[in-house]
């Protein structure tokens, strides 16, 4: 493994490439945000998009996919400030947290927005999550498939011309130059970056008894006769998770240190008890934790130094989400040994090396790391 010389992301992270100076694509994305992108021109392009959208709309102007998190609040605030008539749409996680529910309720009330809380049969989600975890080593695939498919399906069915997503992940966390500068979330993006493991709804039919009818909510529809613009808000306005949180707080978004699920940000990833598992499994597959992501963002913002980030990683360790693993296994009706057996099956041997009595990552960022 090699690590970025400016932040602490490893080259094993999807989307990360290091240039000849050892600088990663995520740091280049930050450079794009600060030096290359003409944000006033992007804001003007958004105004044009809003005008074109309102000219086409016959009911709601746009869908904003929301969880109730700080970015959801920011997206709706920006959309309404632009004069858009918003329909907020949520894929309801089967493990929504209490703070997630309170923030979602407050968002609907305080921002005065119409909202659909879309619930999939929990037993279907349970079986789909089990199949995805056992076959691909990911608990988050059904979540991502649902949260992308549901707004697109509703947009087509209700003839809503715009879907307004949040950040462009390739601009924030690493991708090619073309991907970093793009504003579109389309079918090509979903196939490459949607955390779907190159699968679609049809792939999972027959697994764990799932039927075509069970998978309807996960199916991304296509209608060549009705074009929906599906764009990242972060492609038009400079994204900053800390500032987004401050804006959301002004309208009633709440969080606290007790809500921290994963990584170093107690204001993010707090809506679902299972999101920490999605991030934790990166340790087995890619050899890094969620804290590498969040601390690297803070380095780029100038909030901490690279040395301080490394010290915090060393202090935190792996941070196994034991309570959330227990909750997931209870949801699945499986012993916790089942979770660990599956996780071990997906340990990446290109990253990890067996050292006689323990697994280690050669040339890990922190030489004195405890592997026991």
């Amino acid at each position: 493994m090699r690590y970025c010389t400016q932040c602490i992301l490893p080259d094993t992270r999807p989307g990360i490439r290091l240039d000849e100076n050892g600088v990663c694509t995520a740091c280049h994305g930050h450079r794009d945000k600060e030096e290359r992108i003409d944000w006033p021109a992007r804001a003007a392009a958004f105004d044009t998009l809003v005008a074109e959208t309102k000219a086409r709309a016959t009911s709601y102007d746009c869908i904003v996919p929301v969880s109730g998190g700080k970015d959801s609040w920011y997206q709706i605030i920006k959309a309404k400030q632009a004069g858009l008539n918003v329909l907020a749409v949520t894929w309801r996680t089967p493990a929504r947290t209490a703070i997630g529910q309170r923030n979602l309720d407050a968002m609907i009330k305080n921002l005065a927005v119409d909202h659909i809380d879309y619930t999939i049969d929990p037993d279907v989600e349970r079986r789909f999550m089990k199949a995805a975890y056992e076959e691909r080593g990911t608990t988050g695939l059904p979540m991502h498939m649902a949260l992308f498919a549901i707004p697109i399906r509703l947009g087509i069915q209700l003839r809503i011309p715009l879907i307004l997503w949040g950040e462009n992940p390739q601009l924030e966390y690493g991708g090619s130059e073309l991907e970093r500068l793009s504003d579109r979330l389309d079918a090509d993006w979903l196939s490459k970056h949607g955390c779907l493991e190159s699968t679609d709804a049809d792939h999972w039919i027959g697994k764990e008894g799932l039927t075509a009818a069970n998978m309807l909510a996960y199916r991304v529809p296509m209608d060549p006769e009705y074009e929906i613009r599906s764009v990242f808000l972060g492609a038009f306005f400079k994204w900053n998770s800390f500032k987004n949180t401050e804006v959301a707080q002004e309208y009633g978004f709440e969080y606290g240190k007790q809500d921290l699920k994963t990584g170093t940000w107690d204001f993010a990833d707090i809506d679902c008890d299972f999101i920490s598992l999605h991030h934790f499994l990166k340790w087995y597959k890619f050899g890094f934790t969620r804290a590498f992501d969040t601390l690297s963002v803070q380095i780029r913002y100038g909030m901490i130094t690279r040395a301080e980030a490394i010290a915090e990683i060393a202090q935190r360790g792996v941070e196994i989400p034991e309570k959330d693993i227990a909750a997931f296994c209870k949801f699945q009706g499986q012993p916790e040994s089942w979770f660990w057996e599956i996780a071990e099956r997906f340990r990446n041997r290109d990253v990890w090396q067996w050292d006689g009595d323990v697994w280690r990552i050669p040339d890990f960022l922190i030489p004195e790391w405890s592997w026991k």
Side-chain angles (χ1 to χ4, degrees), residues 24 49 56 68 72-74 78 82 86 96 99 117 123 130 132 155 173 177 194 249 270-271 273 282 297 338 347-348:
C24 76
L49 175 62
R56 289 185 60 205
S72 302
W73 288 68
Y74 177 75
K78 293 293 286 187
V86 174
R96 181 176 288 165
I99 187 63
D117 202 9
D123 185 61
K130 183 174 186 289
Y173 295 106
E177 181 178 20
Q249 282 183 289
I270 62 175
D271 311 308
D273 282 330
K282 297 173 184 176
V297 170
W338 165 81
R347 188 187 294 273
N348 187 344

Side-chain angles (χ1 to χ4, degrees), residues 26-245:
C27 285
H28 280 294
H30 186 71
R31 177 209 61 188
D32 293 339
K33 288 168 63 176
E34 296 299 320
E35 301 175 7
R36 298 186 63 196
I37 296 175
D38 185 341
W39 291 111
R42 289 288 184 102
F46 186 74
D47 290 340
T48 299
L49 175 62
V50 168
E52 293 172 349
T53 296
K54 293 185 74 65
R56 289 185 60 205
T58 56
S59 57
Y60 295 100
D61 297 323
C62 76
I63 286 177
V64 176
V66 301
S67 66
K70 41 82 177 164
D71 291 334
S72 302
W73 288 68
Y74 177 75
Q75 288 162 245
I76 291 178
I77 291 164
K78 293 293 286 187
K80 297 196 75 170
Q81 287 175 345
L84 289 165
N85 185 14
V86 174
L87 174 63
V89 174
T90 301
W91 161 75
R92 183 185 180 93
T93 167
R96 181 176 288 165
T97 62
I99 187 63
Q101 186 66 61
R102 291 199 301 274
N103 276 324
L104 185 61
D105 291 342
M107 183 190 73
I108 297 163
K109 178 182 178 181
N110 297 357
L111 301 184
V113 65
D114 290 357
H115 175 248
I116 294 174
D117 202 9
Y118 197 114
T119 302
I120 298 173
D121 176 356
D123 185 61
V124 169
E125 291 209 291
R126 180 192 62 77
R127 287 183 282 145
F128 190 4
M129 291 177 75
K130 183 174 186 289
Y133 187 44
E134 291 183 341
E135 180 180 314
R136 300 299 176 106
T138 170
T139 60
L141 189 152
M143 168 188 72
H144 286 97
M145 192 173 286
L147 65 84
F148 289 126
I150 290 168
I152 295 172
R153 173 176 295 280
L154 290 174
I156 288 175
Q157 292 177 335
L158 300 177
R159 291 303 195 250
I160 301 173
L162 178 66
I163 302 177
L164 201 58
W165 305 90
E167 66 186 8
N168 176 350
Q170 282 61 59
L171 185 58
E172 303 301 318
Y173 295 106
S176 70
E177 181 178 20
L178 183 63
E179 292 167 340
R180 296 196 305 266
L181 299 179
S182 174
D183 66 3
R184 296 296 183 97
L185 191 162
D186 54 19
D188 182 61
W189 186 92
L190 281 174
S191 68
K192 292 180 179 179
H193 306 298
C195 297
L196 306 183
E197 297 281 331
S198 300
T199 71
D200 58 14
D202 288 340
H203 174 88
W204 300 98
I205 293 173
K207 302 175 191 294
E208 293 294 322
L210 294 168
T211 66
N214 292 151
M215 299 304 294
L216 281 175
Y218 302 98
R219 190 177 301 280
V220 178
M222 297 296 170
D223 187 345
E225 297 182 0
Y226 189 78
E227 179 188 4
I228 289 184
R229 290 287 301 275
S230 179
V231 302
F232 299 111
L233 185 64
F236 297 95
F237 301 97
K238 187 188 295 186
W239 202 260
N240 184 308
S241 294
F242 291 88
K243 292 182 178 179
N244 290 2
T245 302

